[in-house]
Amino acid sequence: RRKKPVERPAIEPLHLADNGIDQVGRGANFVCLKSVIRLGSIVSCSPILEELDLWGNDIGDVGGRLVFEFLQARKEAKLSSMSLRVGPRMNSETFANIQKLGSGIKKRKRGKRGRKKKK
């Protein structure tokens, strides 16, 4: 008899691009860090999450350092590498370190555009 294959949970990307996670408004700096910390707990512990898109969110220097720390914790836990895209509005060293630990998100190619040929 053959063993039934083990069903694994589907690997889904987490796209949070341009959701307004930024440091604008009353008490927004605290809210931004709070949301990055919550997101980081998912990033550092979840083996299912393999893609994260934070482009367009101004998480700042402190948020960038937190994302870097969570990626390091993920690497130390020996979880698979993660595709990550963040905005460059942070310290250049922090941004470079994040890019080293998280590979870029591959963009999907679109189909050919144009008119159909007449026969």
Side-chain angles (χ1 to χ4, degrees), residues 86-99:
V86 293
R89 290 186 172 187
M90 62 183 72
N91 187 357
S92 60
E93 291 177 16
T94 306
F95 183 74
N97 289 334
I98 289 173
Q99 293 300 318

Side-chain angles (χ1 to χ4, degrees), residues 56-73:
N57 296 309
D58 185 18
I59 58 175
D61 291 332
V62 178
R65 280 188 234 120
L66 286 172
V67 169
F68 176 66
E69 289 175 12
F70 292 130
L71 286 174
Q72 280 184 328

Side-chain angles (χ1 to χ4, degrees), residues 10 15 20 22 28 31 38 49 69 72 84 86 90 96 110 116:
H15 292 281
D22 55 11
V31 173
R38 287 181 181 163
L49 185 64
E69 289 175 12
Q72 280 184 328
L84 180 70
V86 293
M90 62 183 72
R110 294 186 180 183
K116 294 182 180 179

